[in-house]
Amino acid sequence: MSESPPILALERVSMAFGAVRALQDVSIDLRGGEIHALAGENGAGKSTLVKILAGVHRPDEGQVLLDGSPRDFRGPGDAQHAGVAVIYQEPTLFPDLSVAENIFMGRQPRAGLGRIDRRALRAQTAALFERLGVSLDPDRPARGLSIADQQIVEIAKALSRDARVLVMDEPTAALSGNEVARLFTVARTLREQGCALLFISHRLEEIFELCQRVTTLRDGRLIATEELQGITPDDLVQRMVGRELDTLYPKQDTTVGEAVLKVERLTREGVFTDVSFEVRTGEIVALAGLVGAGRSEVVRAVFGVDRYDAGSVTVGGRRLPGGSPTAAMSAGIALVPEDRRQQGLVMDGSIERNIGLTTLRALRRGPLVSRRAERDRAADWAIRLQLKYARLSDAVGVLSGGNQQKVVLAKWLSTEPTVLIVDEPTRGIDVGTKAEVHRLLSELAADGLAVLMISSDLPEVLGMADRVLVMYEGRLAAEIPRDEATEETVVAAATGRNRREAA
Amino acid sequence: MAPDAPVKTSSPGALPNPVTRLVRWDVIVTALLIVVFAGGALGTPDFATSDNLSFALDDLSEIALIALPMTLLVVAAEVDLSVASVLGLSSALLGALWDAGWAIETIIPLLIIVGAIAGLVNGLLVTRLGLPSLAVTIGTLTLYRGLAYVVLGTKAVAQFPQNYADLATKTVPGTPIPYPFALFIVAAIVTAVVLHATGAGRAIFATGAQEEAAFFAGIRVKRIKLLLFVVSGVVSAFAGAIYTLRYGSARADNGLGLELAVIAAVLLGGVDFDGGRGTLGGVVAGVLLIGLLRNLLMLRDVATEIQSIVTGLLLIVSVLTPRIIAGVREARRHPRGSISASSQ
Amino acid sequence: GGTTKKSSSGDNGAAATSGAKANPNAPIKKGLKVAFLPKQVNNPYETIVDKAGIAGAKEYGGTAKEVGPSDASASSQISYLNTLIQQQQDAILIAANDPNAVCGPLKQAMSRKIAVVTYDSDAAKECRDVFINQASSEEIGRSEIKVISDLIGGKGKIAILSATANATNQNTWIGFMKDELKKPEYAGIQLVKVAYGDDDDQKSFQQTQGLLQAYPDLKGIIAPTTVGIAAAARYVSASKYKGKVQVSGLGTPNQMRKFVKDGTVSKFELWNPGDLGYLASYAAAALASGQITGAQGEKFKAGRLGERTIGADGEVILGPPTVFDKNNIDNFHF
Amino acid sequence: MATITTTEAGAETGGGGRRLVDTVLRARELSILAALIVLVVVTTAANSSFLSQQGVKDIFLNASILALLAVGQTMVVITRNIDLSVGSVVGLVAFASGKFVLGHDRNIVLVLILGMAIGAVCGLVNGVLVSFFRVPALVVTLGTLYVIQGLDYYWAHGQQINAADVPNSLLELGSGSVLGIPYLPLITVVVMLAVGYYLRSYPSGREFYAIGSNPDAARLAGLSIRRRILTAYACSGILAGLAGVLWLARFGTVVADAAHGWELRVVAAVVVGGVAIVGGLGTVYGAALGALLLTTIGSVLVVLKVNSFWQDAISGLLLLLAISVDRLLSLRVTRALRRRNVRHGA
Ligand SMILES: Nc1ncnc2c1ncn2[C@@H]1O[C@H](COP(=O)(O)OP(=O)(O)OP(=O)(O)O)[C@@H](O)[C@H]1O
Ligand SMILES: Nc1ncnc2c1ncn2[C@@H]1O[C@H](COP(=O)(O)OP(=O)(O)OP(=O)(O)O)[C@@H](O)[C@H]1O
Ligand SMILES: [Mg+2]
Ligand SMILES: [Mg+2]
């Protein structure tokens, strides 16, 4: 298999954004019938490499080789014509168009006179969804899809291209087990058909499960390209991070205090029903469930971003007025939202301003905001979270995905909350930093913080939580203490197989 | 990008590269302003006289004043097209009430209340119903102008008390600066501080750049927007009083079409119409540039039509220049990467 | 004389320039700088007026120019006034968009010995030296009623289509029209509405159309504005109301020729706008040269128009308007 | 695993009937149509001549130029841009074609081509600036508004085109009719249907929506953004040019400032017609209906003998009412759809 010539390759490519050297002298080759993994810390340059393959960026130096001969992609269109399909790290949908149109934009099936054949469009979309094992309505608009569903549409879009090369930049970050399994099945089928695939993920077990070879980047430089057979996850981490990693889930023992956050019979019509739970100081509570179970919706309502129709939220004995994040914040709640690009960050704003946005009051000297305090605070958190950036005054939009997530964390941790709600806190974060975030959460809990964590990453749930709440179709299905929480019990509750218990 | 709201990473005013940050739009406008002033002072004898400058500044009073809240609104990604109509309504009311024998001291507070209500209506329609402000304020533009006619009809009221007329036209002793413009200077400083150095300003920028993220950060985006609309109404109404006293004439059609001049000045000052970007200094430079250039062209007997062409070209050039400079620099830095970098 | 406010009453209607005594025999100064400031530069009517005025200035050896805004607003006129004062013109001729708003700068101009003449649309009396009126306002108003009464046979509903609601000259005329209608001989005529077309062709057109729908039994429309009458005539000529509704008012022959020929319009009036500008130009020169001060009874020579006398309130009247109909319209080309 | 989309399951099983109902409920044009009907019914009740043959003809004649401009503007707005220069283009073209026909008996087709060519040039200037230099559309077109208007005024400077000098064949285009239907609305409807069909049924038409919906995604999808934006502006310019010629044909008398200030009316029509100002949403049918609604409001007030001074105020109020009702209806429909979907999902 490894004898076959590379379909698509990069040769000694370099790329810089202003002062940031995103890639330096990197080569990679993607062969037919092989799934190639790309590993590296946040900001290592993976997405930049993907964008060069996709024709979004043109490299400053080096070249793109297609079937062994140099090609100059002048735009994404060129790459697509050459048979390269890409799933980008951030979903890129057209919110106002239907899901089917999103998938086939620019390549719609035609009827007579060049018109769009809507019937075929719908049928082909339905077939794709069937292949992926999901039941989305091809006619619904993309607006309002959850992050996971958006990712599914992105995958369908890439598959529909029948490409020779499929590049996937963290396709699984927002997905839970079932969808991941489906995706892997499809990917393997494509491999068997002779496609070349590039796969990026921060979940190392996925890389080992799916891929044959791995290329590791560190700080924009190529570290190694090697067969996965014969190396261990620890070896891979060593290549990525440049040092050994102790443990991914450094859970500390804490003394659990009294309940600070009490949620009682919370209901938002048509979204979730009768949700009651409490979170105590010093405790990390995980909220698990399948994608779409309504976990994010519950915490959004708790934080006051959405209104609820019935029930109550109490913090430290005082009842919160619904629908006011400001009130929730002053009661000591912080919410790290799931969608960092829309909800977590002002993409145009600088790093320091984004971090300072939640603590404008604390940054005040007299009536004015102190720029020095703002900068110091940002610098402090940047160091604590190992943020990779050029200048604190750079827009967060130019940071790599994982580093953006760190800025969101910094922004909320700096409010020094008593209740910290994190929605998918480590989505898209590299192993090194993930361990760092876990240590941080665990330390904060040990210091008496109450943490409510939503995660689709089951090992993370099991590794970090003192208690696991499981949601199924908008209701709390189970509450599982740490020592009873296993993959089986959580999945059983999340898929509704233990409904009797939940009642 | 999630499909709910547009993330403005590629909005055209953005100059992502630190190198290009020096060729900012507002810097270019300020440079142009200096050039125009210097050119005028050297080439046109009547231009740099204190008489003429105070005329020119006085002429700008209302546009300049209204441009301040407009800047805040545009930074918050909204717009108020009804400002000129509020000015007209305020002028008509001032005339009607003065005619009915009220004292100016009682009328002006009333005008401010009316302005606040006018702004509140705009703000409530925008924040409560979630309507686009462009549409709402096109509607209230017609409504408020209509109310001005209802109030004053075809009448024109004149003969306002001399002491108030003086306040609106005389200059601050020892300077060529008319009182209304002096008021503008003070207001501009306050606005600049609020926008660029306070938490409220940070909140306005965040609201305009990404409303949802601002809301998630505990910023009361709706309240901020509502407040900005009210401020815009109040300032426009007050500008209406100045306008009336300055010209000594209250009419329902006062200030007709002023809104586009205000918006032109704000845009010329480099404020991004998509919100989240802009500086108040740029706007002040933009206002002065438009005003002084017009004055200069008039003194040189340049036809009014040409003035319009010059204004238009100025707008185009001011947005084009930074882009072209950035493009050229990029091309020089990355001969191969230029296309992708400039189309990022 | 003097430029103070109080001087506006009595026989000596208008303020005179800086208290100078008139010297009827003073020669017209050479090289006078004269500026026309119309309501709006792209108004065809004003263009005719100003062109003739500029030509007049050439006759007496002055240099004249036309400057002005492209929107008919007082505030833009004031910017121009300020500039003209800075430029030290000898005379400013203005068709005021607002009689009061332009007052301040005009007084300032007079205090700097700049002669101020208003034409077409007057400013407040104390703010100018002389007003050149195209025709007596009273005469225009009353004769409009007489014309329409003749056309509709003295009976029926009529409407007025004016320019903007604030136009001074329009409102003066409309005032006299209403007064004239009180006379017993017009008892059969009912004025149902004054509509405003804002001197905007399209809006005037739509207003006409609305009037006819709202009052299907309307007999006549008076449009005392050149834009309005053309729009009204055009709508009527292409609609089922042609021949049933009479259109009259003030219009230029070039504009109305087609509608007179096709029978939509039988009669309308106007003075010669060229003469208006010419007269105003000479009045300005006479003022600037000290021949007149603007007081009632003073006389000056206005080139080919002969000698003119200043009437009450500093007004000079051009003369009675011409009535155009299909017999004489081809003799006029403006 | 169906849990990903439990909430959507209903839509799958519902079938064609449901889809039809959804489409009807979601169609934003309907609420405008409803507002229009209410307005017409109320007015006719008060004054029956409103719906007379002449009355209907007048309304359609009045609306057609605005609607034509709204169709062009819609193409631009859908791509998340705006064209403020249309009013100036209409003025320029009306005057230019007036000069062109002055005293000559020019062929109508030639006049139309000339007008549309001038419009196309203006549109292309806007389009090139916006798409190639990627400068903000609002600033650029405000700039070209001033520039084109300045050129027009400078050229015209108080000249006037009189109906008497315009050839009858051209005037006939403005007031004549075929089978009782006046040409003007006919032209507008044909243009509207053509553009509407193109935008809905052709792949390149859908790209306009895609670009406005998410420009970044459009770039990544390899769509030719520049070409589409250029096309949108060119179309807007061409339609403005056409509108300019029709203006001359309809009104006969033209001074430089024809359609002065219309940019805001056109934008208002488009927005009232349910086209999202941030792009990606809306149809030309809605925009044309919006234009019809705005024009009708103007006529209704005169017909109802509303005091002249109240006319502006009331038409502003009606405009606000129209967009508010539209908004409230669509919020309600969205909520109803969510609730119903939920029931099916549970
Ligand atoms: N458009 C841009 N402008 C400036 N800098 C950029 C831009 N895009 C990426 N960078 C920088 O390039 C570097 C590499 O970013 P890239 O997105 O490729 O990282 P990544 O490996 O994909 O990280 P992650 O795992 O977090 O997604 C980062 O330092 C980032 O800040
Ligand atoms: N902004 C929105 N507008 C309308 N519907 C939404 C919106 N966000 C989410 N939904 C819908 O609500 C349902 C539940 O949302 P969501 O998928 O976020 O749940 P979740 O349990 O938090 O899952 P996850 O956190 O894994 O994304 C989904 O079916 C989604 O389509
Ligand atoms: Mg990445
Ligand atoms: Mg979620």
Side-chain angles (χ1 to χ4, degrees), chain A residues 29 31 34-37 211-214 225-228:
Chain A
D29 59 327
R31 300 179 191 157
E34 180 191 70
I35 305 182
H36 195 124
C211 306
Q212 285 76 55
R213 279 198 304 159
V214 62
T225 299
E226 59 206 318
E227 298 283 332
L228 270 160

Side-chain angles (χ1 to χ4, degrees), chain D residues 20-104:
Chain D
L20 186 69
V21 175
D22 279 8
T23 315
V24 169
L25 280 178
R26 284 193 180 125
R28 308 206 37 202
E29 291 80 20
L30 276 182
S31 53
I32 314 157
L33 199 60
L36 193 62
I37 291 171
V38 169
L39 196 65
V40 169
V41 167
V42 169
T43 313
T44 313
N47 182 341
S48 57
S49 75
F50 185 67
L51 267 197
S52 68
Q53 202 197 345
Q54 177 83 32
V56 173
K57 195 173 129 189
D58 284 342
I59 288 185
F60 277 102
L61 274 173
N62 288 340
S64 40
I65 290 180
L66 186 62
L68 205 55
L69 294 172
V71 167
Q73 186 74 250
T74 304
M75 291 186 79
V76 176
V77 171
I78 280 178
T79 64
R80 199 182 284 185
N81 283 296
I82 196 163
D83 185 357
L84 289 182
S85 69
V86 285
S88 299
V89 175
V90 173
L92 177 67
V93 171
F95 187 77
S97 39
K99 279 299 245 194
F100 179 66
V101 298
L102 204 69
H104 306 274

Side-chain angles (χ1 to χ4, degrees), chain B residues 10-44:
Chain B
S10 71
S11 89
L15 297 174
N17 209 301
V19 189
T20 56
R21 223 169 257 169
L22 271 181
V23 283
R24 279 189 345 203
W25 193 340
D26 45 350
V27 176
I28 288 180
V29 173
T30 312
L32 271 175
L33 176 64
I34 295 170
V35 169
V36 165
F37 191 85
L42 294 178
T44 314

Side-chain angles (χ1 to χ4, degrees), chain A residues 136 140 142-150 173-176 179 268 270-271 287-300 306 338 343 423-424 427 454-456 471 473-474, chain B residues 3-4 212, chain D residues 3-8 334 338:
Chain A
L136 275 169
R140 69 155 287 168
R143 188 182 300 281
L145 284 178
S146 70
I147 295 274
D149 288 346
Q150 291 177 42
L175 302 186
S176 54
E179 293 92 25
R268 177 168 155 87
V271 183
L287 195 52
L290 294 185
V291 164
R295 299 164 297 171
S296 299
E297 271 63 23
V298 169
V299 297
R300 283 167 61 114
D306 291 337
E338 67 176 331
Q343 305 162 345
D423 195 349
E424 309 283 6
R427 184 160 67 82
I454 296 179
S455 176
S456 300
M471 282 190 77
E473 292 194 345
Chain B
D4 283 283
E212 195 178 357
Chain D
T3 43
I4 294 178
T5 50
T6 42
T7 53
E8 300 304 326
T334 315
R338 178 180 71 157

Side-chain angles (χ1 to χ4, degrees), chain A residues 382-418:
Chain A
I383 292 166
R384 281 176 79 174
L385 296 180
Q386 298 166 15
L387 190 70
K388 186 171 183 300
Y389 65 97
R391 246 183 301 241
L392 284 174
S393 55
D394 287 346
V396 288
V398 306
L399 294 182
S400 77
N403 282 303
Q404 289 174 6
Q405 184 70 25
K406 291 184 203 169
V407 176
V408 188
L409 277 172
K411 168 180 169 182
W412 285 105
L413 290 178
S414 68
T415 63
E416 295 170 4
T418 52

